[in-house]
Amino acid sequence: MTDGRRSWARSSIRPVEAWIATTPEADERRRRERRARRTVGLRGAAWNDTLVLERYELLWEIGLVAESPIRGGVRLGECMAFDHRRILATALGRVRGALRWRPLVFELLPPDFTMAQLQKTVEALAGRRLHAPTSGGSSRTPD
């Protein structure tokens, strides 16, 4: 992870930790911490890239997304109309889950594509970079 991305992640997680810490009731604080560990990988928990909707709902509740009615300190992303970000989060989580079971990425690419196009498409869907070198070569999907 680059220093800029690590810095962004730390600054985005601080409000989540504050949301947990400011809860006076111990049971609620534990519930919030379990939720944050699961959705944003807080305190060393594993990151689950398919929990996009759950992450969005947590960040919305805390007030970190632009369209949240609560005004948090850090605002992530540009404001989207109505519930469009929620719809997008749902779709992205489903696509990421489906990618684990079937190669649907080929349905999103044209019949002729380069390895670089394939890599960029997979990275965009997965939400992370792959550690594979790109090349300008062309691949053809079977007919």
Side-chain angles (χ1 to χ4, degrees):
M1 187 183 294
T2 65
D3 286 338
R5 196 161 173 202
R6 192 175 295 121
S7 173
W8 176 87
R10 274 195 303 267
S11 67
S12 300
I13 293 300
R14 280 191 198 111
V16 176
E17 290 175 331
W19 174 72
I20 295 167
T22 58
T23 308
E25 193 176 306
D27 287 342
E28 176 65 12
R29 196 168 39 255
R30 281 191 294 275
R31 186 190 68 75
R32 286 183 176 191
E33 183 167 351
R34 276 193 308 271
R35 184 177 172 201
R37 284 178 54 84
R38 180 174 181 264
T39 57
V40 296
L42 190 66
R43 298 189 180 131
W47 178 265
N48 184 335
D49 59 356
T50 63
L51 297 177
V52 182
L53 179 60
E54 292 84 348
R55 243 184 317 280
Y56 164 75
E57 288 176 339
L58 174 70
L59 299 175
W60 183 88
E61 184 178 326
I62 296 172
L64 298 180
V65 292
E67 55 276 350
S68 176
I70 299 168
R71 296 292 173 222
V74 177
R75 301 301 277 205
L76 305 173
E78 297 293 322
C79 188
M80 294 181 83
F82 309 111
D83 62 345
H84 293 172
R85 190 183 311 267
R86 191 173 199 283
I87 292 168
L88 183 62
T90 301
L92 191 54
R94 288 183 180 178
V95 166
R96 287 180 180 175
L99 278 173
R100 293 176 183 217
W101 306 108
R102 61 184 217 132
L104 65 86
V105 68
F106 296 105
E107 297 171 27
L108 303 173
L109 290 165
D112 294 316
F113 57 87
T114 66
M115 291 304 291
Q117 288 172 317
L118 174 63
Q119 181 172 348
K120 286 179 183 178
T121 303
V122 170
E123 288 176 343
L125 293 173
R128 60 181 163 192
R129 293 200 180 263
L130 300 175
H131 185 68
T134 60
S135 69
S138 178
S139 293
R140 177 141 175 87
T141 58
D143 293 333

